[in-house]
Amino acid sequence: MKTDNKKNQKKTEKEIESLLKKMTLDEKISMIHGASLFRSGGVERLGIPGIETSDGPMGVREEFMSDRWIPAGNNDDRVSYLPSNSALASTWNPYRAYEMGKVLGAEARGRGKDVILAPGINIKRSPLCGRNFEYMSEDPKLTATLAVPFIRGVQDNDVAACVKHFAANVQETDRLMVDEKIDERTLHELYFPAFKAAVQEADAYSVMAAYNKVNGYHCCENKQLLDDVLRGEWGFDGAVISDWGGVHLTKEAAECSLDLEMSVFPDFDEYVLANPLKELIKKGEVSEEAVDAKVRNLLRLMFRLKMIGKEKADRKQGAYNTPDHRQMILRTAQESMILLKNEKQALPLNASKIRKLTVIGQNAAAIHSDGGGSAEIKALYEICPLMGLKCYLGGNTQVTYVPGYYVPEKRKTFDHNWQADSLDDLKASTAGVLTRDDGAPKDHRAEEEEHIAQRQREAAEVHEKNQALFAEAIEAAKDADAVIFVGGLNHYIDSEGADRADMKLPYEQDELIEALLKVRKDMIVTLIGGSPVEMPWKDKAQAILWSYYAGMETGTAFAGILFGDINPSGKLAETFPDVYGDCVTAKNGQFGVGGSISLEEGLYCGYRYFDRQRITPAFCFGYGLSYTHFTYSGLTFKTEKGGEIKLTFTVRNTGRRIGAETAQIYVAPIGAKADRPDKELKAYSKVELAPGKSRKVTVTLKREDFAYYDVNAHDFVTDAGDYEILVGASCADIRLKGIATLT
Ligand code: BGC
């Protein structure tokens, strides 16, 4: 860690060497693989504990049995439920990211954990990726600038962040085997920067190597990724932990910079880095030094976390479920919701004029914290939108709730649970025990056919049940002072282990919304989900509010925004395409077909693609409305010593409410030598302003903000020349422009 002072660091390294010398080969090996599903082995004799890990990004996951994939069934592991990373990213607020990291770290430590398997910072290549809700953005700068404070917040609690999934884990389909073929420049400009910042700026103590392959090699055994880039170029000296079941080859895993093998099987001694490795060492095919290198990194992690060493007594104790945590979670939720449309000042609603309110849609009453895959948690509580509205309005308003559409229930069972499903090349047997595959090549066709048949059966069931539900909803909509629709997605759809089949709203919601808008033009449409959806009815709705899975206080934040106590300030951290066909993945392929996919689009995904193709999305990157208005003026530049460019401009709140605006700064090279995206986000600043007030914003662009990765130099280079600086309220709404010249 760079913040360790040099002397301490030297001392620590000495202690590591002395411990290492005392250890037998068996003891060392016991440390580098799982000893239970979420804990590594320790060496009791020397006072070295195992490392306790836990998922995940939205809160500390419930306890599992040590040797099977079944919750322990405890009553003391309920926790605060944090907004998902997609919600956090929509705040465009690094301070909120720090706070959320701090809450997660404190709760993890409070539950006795050493490593929290978060944050997920993969770049969103396709809107259909099942885990997008866990990730932040399609843009590397936005992701990096939020990941860094988040990690610092976690680690301020003497808990390690485990930044995942390194690298390019951009699809769930065939995630264990797919080979993502990505060119060097795209890796360095798009898929690496947030990880690099996590390591170099946030000093992340651990990194999780992904399931997938990158350019031919599984990430857990990928020398180019782990040795050359992560340790070599970026100087990472923390621990690399495998994704669960992501290690395949003993010699390769032993000889690259992977330090800890975790998996889903209970046969811990048979892990790749257990007995099979010992055999290879005995035969002289792998040197013991390979094991020593791993143990050093794990011991260093333990010293940093004060798990061992002289500072042990000073280790922070953490706390979970504190009122403070809930306050911070509420503030983040309030800042995360995005007002996509608001005509005729449909919002905010005036509570004093509403005696009868009709709320329609399953997501009004749904709970989301317990789903999504490894991000699932057992929340202390979760306030759904309906409860938020009722708590806000009190007993004098008659609130009528109707579900509107049918959602087939999928029960979790532990003889066939999601984790088993998601590890599609491993085999699930009964009672949560995962057993190893027999290695025979699989024919997935029968399985796929069964999935399709299942989907068809479900669609027919939904259609049949919806007839009565639609009629009921339409009647209820007619007879009310105001109507709020709360639909969207859920974790049957936004989930680990599977990608979405399309970008449509499920359960015939589009038909229902169309029908409702016919009888109630003023219906407020609100959607909750983890990834973009097509909104074919969007021109007909007056108001649309989008929320990602926003944590335990979702309903409170939701009511606050709808009734105007809170002025929305969320902005999209990803493009919302009009139709899926507009996305680059519709052209280049979403999933690796035949086990691999070439990311031909290179840098051109997200807004970079929409810009280049001149496609107007439904709602662009960086977009989000407020109940007030902001003007931008007076852009000036000053070149500082060292070639940095200092920009200033003024943002003014010209409306009647206090509100916050995120000003975004994009750089657009003029006449660039290399192929460059039309423009790229390089900085942003969120300012809160009272009505009529203005603030001078100052932003410094460094030379590296103008750079691109040169494959000949294998490094970033900055060309002299002219660059347009664009300051805007979104990627398409550019308010100020100027030209900066770099010499
Ligand atoms: C997921 C990881 C998670 C791990 C442990 C894997 O399936 O990809 O994100 O941390 O399981 O639950």
Short mmCIF file of all heavy atoms in Angstrom, two decimals, residues 37-38 53-57 61 69 117-118 131 134-135 164-165 169 172 175 208 211 242-245 264 373-375 418-419 422-423 496, ligand 1:
data_model
loop_
_atom_site.label_atom_id
_atom_site.label_comp_id
_atom_site.label_asym_id
_atom_site.label_seq_id
_atom_site.Cartn_x
_atom_site.Cartn_y
_atom_site.Cartn_z
N LEU A 37 -16.74 -22.63 1.89
CA LEU A 37 -17.17 -21.95 0.66
C LEU A 37 -16.77 -20.48 0.62
O LEU A 37 -16.54 -19.93 -0.44
CB LEU A 37 -18.68 -22.10 0.48
CG LEU A 37 -19.13 -23.53 0.18
CD1 LEU A 37 -20.65 -23.61 0.05
CD2 LEU A 37 -18.46 -24.10 -1.07
N PHE A 38 -16.68 -19.85 1.78
CA PHE A 38 -16.33 -18.43 1.78
C PHE A 38 -15.11 -18.10 2.65
O PHE A 38 -14.88 -16.94 2.97
CB PHE A 38 -17.54 -17.57 2.21
CG PHE A 38 -18.59 -17.45 1.13
CD1 PHE A 38 -19.70 -18.28 1.11
CD2 PHE A 38 -18.44 -16.52 0.11
CE1 PHE A 38 -20.65 -18.18 0.09
CE2 PHE A 38 -19.38 -16.41 -0.92
CZ PHE A 38 -20.48 -17.25 -0.93
N THR A 53 -14.52 -14.19 3.65
CA THR A 53 -15.01 -13.35 2.56
C THR A 53 -16.54 -13.39 2.56
O THR A 53 -17.14 -14.29 3.13
CB THR A 53 -14.52 -13.86 1.19
OG1 THR A 53 -15.20 -15.08 0.90
CG2 THR A 53 -13.04 -14.09 1.18
N SER A 54 -17.12 -12.37 1.93
CA SER A 54 -18.57 -12.40 1.75
C SER A 54 -18.97 -11.56 0.55
O SER A 54 -18.37 -10.53 0.27
CB SER A 54 -19.26 -11.84 3.00
OG SER A 54 -20.65 -11.74 2.77
N ASP A 55 -20.01 -12.00 -0.15
CA ASP A 55 -20.66 -11.11 -1.09
C ASP A 55 -21.36 -10.07 -0.25
O ASP A 55 -21.65 -10.32 0.94
CB ASP A 55 -21.69 -11.90 -1.92
CG ASP A 55 -20.99 -12.77 -2.96
OD1 ASP A 55 -20.22 -12.21 -3.73
OD2 ASP A 55 -21.21 -13.99 -2.96
N GLY A 56 -21.79 -9.00 -0.74
CA GLY A 56 -21.49 -8.59 -2.09
C GLY A 56 -21.78 -7.12 -2.17
O GLY A 56 -21.82 -6.40 -1.16
N PRO A 57 -22.07 -6.67 -3.31
CA PRO A 57 -22.12 -5.22 -3.54
C PRO A 57 -23.30 -4.49 -2.89
O PRO A 57 -23.21 -3.30 -2.63
CB PRO A 57 -22.20 -5.11 -5.06
CG PRO A 57 -22.60 -6.44 -5.56
CD PRO A 57 -22.21 -7.45 -4.53
N ARG A 61 -23.90 -10.44 2.48
CA ARG A 61 -24.80 -11.55 2.24
C ARG A 61 -25.02 -12.39 3.49
O ARG A 61 -24.18 -12.41 4.39
CB ARG A 61 -24.17 -12.44 1.15
CG ARG A 61 -25.12 -13.36 0.46
CD ARG A 61 -24.37 -14.04 -0.68
NE ARG A 61 -25.21 -14.95 -1.44
CZ ARG A 61 -24.73 -15.76 -2.39
NH1 ARG A 61 -23.44 -15.76 -2.66
NH2 ARG A 61 -25.53 -16.55 -3.05
N TRP A 69 -24.07 -25.19 -0.56
CA TRP A 69 -24.57 -23.91 -1.03
C TRP A 69 -25.98 -23.67 -0.50
O TRP A 69 -26.93 -23.54 -1.25
CB TRP A 69 -24.54 -23.94 -2.57
CG TRP A 69 -24.19 -22.61 -3.10
CD1 TRP A 69 -25.07 -21.73 -3.66
CD2 TRP A 69 -22.92 -21.97 -3.10
NE1 TRP A 69 -24.41 -20.57 -3.99
CE2 TRP A 69 -23.09 -20.70 -3.65
CE3 TRP A 69 -21.63 -22.33 -2.66
CZ2 TRP A 69 -22.05 -19.78 -3.81
CZ3 TRP A 69 -20.60 -21.43 -2.81
CH2 TRP A 69 -20.81 -20.18 -3.37
N LEU A 117 -16.76 -8.88 -1.29
CA LEU A 117 -16.60 -9.14 -2.73
C LEU A 117 -17.33 -8.07 -3.54
O LEU A 117 -18.36 -8.31 -4.16
CB LEU A 117 -17.10 -10.56 -3.04
CG LEU A 117 -16.45 -11.64 -2.15
CD1 LEU A 117 -17.10 -13.00 -2.36
CD2 LEU A 117 -14.95 -11.72 -2.41
N ALA A 118 -16.80 -6.89 -3.52
CA ALA A 118 -17.38 -5.72 -4.16
C ALA A 118 -16.30 -4.64 -4.23
O ALA A 118 -15.33 -4.72 -3.47
CB ALA A 118 -18.56 -5.21 -3.33
N ARG A 131 -25.97 -9.00 -15.31
CA ARG A 131 -25.43 -8.42 -14.08
C ARG A 131 -25.22 -6.92 -14.18
O ARG A 131 -24.58 -6.34 -13.29
CB ARG A 131 -24.10 -9.11 -13.71
CG ARG A 131 -24.30 -10.51 -13.23
CD ARG A 131 -23.01 -11.11 -12.74
NE ARG A 131 -22.81 -10.87 -11.31
CZ ARG A 131 -21.88 -11.48 -10.59
NH1 ARG A 131 -21.07 -12.34 -11.15
NH2 ARG A 131 -21.75 -11.23 -9.30
N GLU A 134 -25.46 -4.69 -11.18
CA GLU A 134 -24.37 -4.67 -10.20
C GLU A 134 -23.22 -3.77 -10.63
O GLU A 134 -22.29 -3.55 -9.87
CB GLU A 134 -23.78 -6.08 -10.06
CG GLU A 134 -24.61 -7.04 -9.29
CD GLU A 134 -23.84 -8.34 -9.07
OE1 GLU A 134 -22.82 -8.31 -8.37
OE2 GLU A 134 -24.25 -9.37 -9.63
N TYR A 135 -23.23 -3.37 -11.89
CA TYR A 135 -22.11 -2.59 -12.41
C TYR A 135 -22.52 -1.12 -12.50
O TYR A 135 -23.68 -0.77 -12.35
CB TYR A 135 -21.68 -3.14 -13.77
CG TYR A 135 -21.27 -4.60 -13.74
CD1 TYR A 135 -21.51 -5.46 -14.81
CD2 TYR A 135 -20.65 -5.13 -12.60
CE1 TYR A 135 -21.14 -6.80 -14.77
CE2 TYR A 135 -20.27 -6.47 -12.56
CZ TYR A 135 -20.52 -7.30 -13.64
OH TYR A 135 -20.15 -8.62 -13.59
N LYS A 164 -14.20 -6.49 -8.65
CA LYS A 164 -14.50 -7.60 -9.56
C LYS A 164 -15.20 -7.13 -10.82
O LYS A 164 -15.78 -6.05 -10.81
CB LYS A 164 -15.32 -8.66 -8.83
CG LYS A 164 -16.72 -8.23 -8.39
CD LYS A 164 -17.31 -9.27 -7.46
CE LYS A 164 -18.79 -9.03 -7.21
NZ LYS A 164 -19.35 -9.95 -6.22
N HIS A 165 -15.21 -7.86 -11.91
CA HIS A 165 -14.53 -9.12 -12.17
C HIS A 165 -13.50 -8.80 -13.23
O HIS A 165 -13.89 -8.39 -14.34
CB HIS A 165 -15.50 -10.19 -12.67
CG HIS A 165 -16.74 -10.32 -11.80
ND1 HIS A 165 -17.88 -9.57 -11.94
CD2 HIS A 165 -17.00 -11.15 -10.75
CE1 HIS A 165 -18.78 -9.93 -11.04
NE2 HIS A 165 -18.28 -10.88 -10.31
N ASN A 169 -15.76 -9.06 -17.99
CA ASN A 169 -16.85 -10.01 -17.72
C ASN A 169 -18.14 -9.34 -18.19
O ASN A 169 -18.94 -8.88 -17.40
CB ASN A 169 -16.88 -10.30 -16.22
CG ASN A 169 -17.81 -11.43 -15.82
OD1 ASN A 169 -17.80 -11.85 -14.67
ND2 ASN A 169 -18.64 -11.92 -16.74
N GLU A 172 -23.16 -12.90 -19.29
CA GLU A 172 -23.40 -14.01 -18.36
C GLU A 172 -23.55 -15.33 -19.10
O GLU A 172 -23.23 -16.39 -18.57
CB GLU A 172 -24.64 -13.73 -17.52
CG GLU A 172 -24.41 -12.65 -16.48
CD GLU A 172 -23.29 -13.00 -15.52
OE1 GLU A 172 -23.49 -13.87 -14.66
OE2 GLU A 172 -22.20 -12.42 -15.62
N ARG A 175 -20.65 -17.89 -19.24
CA ARG A 175 -19.63 -17.04 -18.62
C ARG A 175 -18.39 -17.77 -18.15
O ARG A 175 -17.33 -17.19 -17.98
CB ARG A 175 -20.22 -16.26 -17.44
CG ARG A 175 -20.71 -17.16 -16.31
CD ARG A 175 -21.19 -16.31 -15.16
NE ARG A 175 -21.75 -17.12 -14.10
CZ ARG A 175 -21.89 -16.69 -12.87
NH1 ARG A 175 -21.54 -15.47 -12.54
NH2 ARG A 175 -22.42 -17.46 -11.94
N MET A 208 -10.71 -9.54 -7.86
CA MET A 208 -11.23 -10.87 -8.23
C MET A 208 -11.02 -11.10 -9.73
O MET A 208 -11.46 -10.30 -10.55
CB MET A 208 -12.72 -10.99 -7.90
CG MET A 208 -13.26 -12.41 -8.15
SD MET A 208 -15.07 -12.54 -7.97
CE MET A 208 -15.26 -12.28 -6.22
N TYR A 211 -14.47 -15.11 -14.40
CA TYR A 211 -14.70 -16.47 -14.92
C TYR A 211 -14.22 -16.64 -16.36
O TYR A 211 -13.71 -17.67 -16.74
CB TYR A 211 -16.20 -16.76 -14.93
CG TYR A 211 -16.80 -17.20 -13.62
CD1 TYR A 211 -18.02 -16.68 -13.20
CD2 TYR A 211 -16.19 -18.16 -12.84
CE1 TYR A 211 -18.61 -17.10 -12.02
CE2 TYR A 211 -16.77 -18.59 -11.65
CZ TYR A 211 -17.98 -18.06 -11.24
OH TYR A 211 -18.55 -18.48 -10.08
N SER A 242 -9.69 -15.78 -6.97
CA SER A 242 -10.41 -16.28 -8.15
C SER A 242 -11.90 -16.06 -7.97
O SER A 242 -12.39 -16.06 -6.83
CB SER A 242 -10.16 -17.77 -8.33
OG SER A 242 -10.93 -18.51 -7.38
N ASP A 243 -12.65 -15.91 -9.06
CA ASP A 243 -14.09 -16.04 -8.92
C ASP A 243 -14.36 -17.51 -8.57
O ASP A 243 -13.53 -18.39 -8.84
CB ASP A 243 -14.83 -15.61 -10.19
CG ASP A 243 -16.30 -15.27 -9.87
OD1 ASP A 243 -16.78 -15.68 -8.80
OD2 ASP A 243 -16.96 -14.61 -10.69
N TRP A 244 -15.52 -17.73 -7.97
CA TRP A 244 -15.80 -19.03 -7.35
C TRP A 244 -15.93 -20.15 -8.40
O TRP A 244 -16.92 -20.25 -9.09
CB TRP A 244 -17.05 -18.91 -6.51
CG TRP A 244 -16.83 -18.54 -5.06
CD1 TRP A 244 -17.32 -19.21 -3.98
CD2 TRP A 244 -16.07 -17.45 -4.51
NE1 TRP A 244 -16.91 -18.60 -2.81
CE2 TRP A 244 -16.15 -17.53 -3.10
CE3 TRP A 244 -15.31 -16.41 -5.06
CZ2 TRP A 244 -15.50 -16.62 -2.25
CZ3 TRP A 244 -14.68 -15.50 -4.22
CH2 TRP A 244 -14.78 -15.62 -2.83
N GLY A 245 -14.92 -20.95 -8.52
CA GLY A 245 -14.94 -22.03 -9.52
C GLY A 245 -14.31 -21.59 -10.83
O GLY A 245 -14.50 -22.24 -11.85
N VAL A 264 -16.92 -23.48 -5.52
CA VAL A 264 -18.27 -23.78 -5.06
C VAL A 264 -18.39 -25.22 -4.56
O VAL A 264 -19.44 -25.65 -4.13
CB VAL A 264 -19.28 -23.57 -6.21
CG1 VAL A 264 -19.34 -22.11 -6.59
CG2 VAL A 264 -18.91 -24.41 -7.43
N GLY A 373 -28.79 -13.11 -7.63
CA GLY A 373 -27.57 -13.92 -7.68
C GLY A 373 -26.75 -13.68 -6.43
O GLY A 373 -27.30 -13.53 -5.34
N SER A 374 -25.44 -13.59 -6.59
CA SER A 374 -24.59 -13.42 -5.40
C SER A 374 -24.78 -12.06 -4.74
O SER A 374 -24.31 -11.83 -3.63
CB SER A 374 -23.12 -13.66 -5.74
OG SER A 374 -22.72 -12.78 -6.77
N ALA A 375 -25.47 -11.15 -5.41
CA ALA A 375 -25.74 -9.83 -4.82
C ALA A 375 -26.95 -9.87 -3.88
O ALA A 375 -27.25 -8.87 -3.22
CB ALA A 375 -25.97 -8.81 -5.92
N TRP A 418 -30.03 -20.90 -7.94
CA TRP A 418 -29.48 -20.07 -9.02
C TRP A 418 -28.00 -20.26 -9.21
O TRP A 418 -27.49 -20.23 -10.31
CB TRP A 418 -29.78 -18.58 -8.75
CG TRP A 418 -28.96 -18.07 -7.59
CD1 TRP A 418 -29.34 -18.02 -6.29
CD2 TRP A 418 -27.61 -17.64 -7.64
NE1 TRP A 418 -28.31 -17.59 -5.52
CE2 TRP A 418 -27.24 -17.33 -6.32
CE3 TRP A 418 -26.67 -17.47 -8.67
CZ2 TRP A 418 -25.98 -16.87 -6.00
CZ3 TRP A 418 -25.41 -17.01 -8.33
CH2 TRP A 418 -25.08 -16.71 -7.02
N GLN A 419 -27.26 -20.47 -8.11
CA GLN A 419 -25.80 -20.54 -8.24
C GLN A 419 -25.44 -21.80 -9.03
O GLN A 419 -24.58 -21.76 -9.90
CB GLN A 419 -25.11 -20.55 -6.88
CG GLN A 419 -23.61 -20.32 -6.97
CD GLN A 419 -23.15 -18.95 -6.44
OE1 GLN A 419 -23.86 -18.32 -5.69
NE2 GLN A 419 -21.98 -18.50 -6.84
N SER A 422 -26.28 -21.09 -12.57
CA SER A 422 -25.39 -20.15 -13.22
C SER A 422 -24.04 -20.77 -13.55
O SER A 422 -23.35 -20.34 -14.44
CB SER A 422 -25.19 -18.92 -12.34
OG SER A 422 -24.36 -19.26 -11.25
N LEU A 423 -23.67 -21.78 -12.80
CA LEU A 423 -22.40 -22.44 -13.07
C LEU A 423 -22.69 -23.59 -14.02
O LEU A 423 -22.60 -24.76 -13.67
CB LEU A 423 -21.77 -22.92 -11.76
CG LEU A 423 -21.44 -21.78 -10.81
CD1 LEU A 423 -21.12 -22.28 -9.43
CD2 LEU A 423 -20.31 -20.94 -11.35
N GLU A 496 -27.66 -12.66 -12.09
CA GLU A 496 -26.41 -13.37 -12.38
C GLU A 496 -26.71 -14.69 -13.08
O GLU A 496 -27.71 -15.34 -12.79
CB GLU A 496 -25.69 -13.63 -11.06
CG GLU A 496 -24.39 -14.35 -11.22
CD GLU A 496 -23.63 -14.44 -9.90
OE1 GLU A 496 -23.90 -13.65 -8.99
OE2 GLU A 496 -22.76 -15.30 -9.82
C1 BGC B 1 -19.87 -14.47 -8.72
C2 BGC B 1 -19.05 -13.54 -7.85
C3 BGC B 1 -19.33 -13.84 -6.41
C4 BGC B 1 -19.00 -15.30 -6.14
C5 BGC B 1 -19.21 -15.72 -4.71
C6 BGC B 1 -19.70 -15.94 -8.33
O1 BGC B 1 -20.65 -16.72 -8.94
O2 BGC B 1 -19.52 -14.30 -10.07
O3 BGC B 1 -19.36 -12.20 -8.16
O4 BGC B 1 -18.60 -12.97 -5.61
O5 BGC B 1 -19.83 -16.10 -6.94
O6 BGC B 1 -20.55 -15.85 -4.42
#
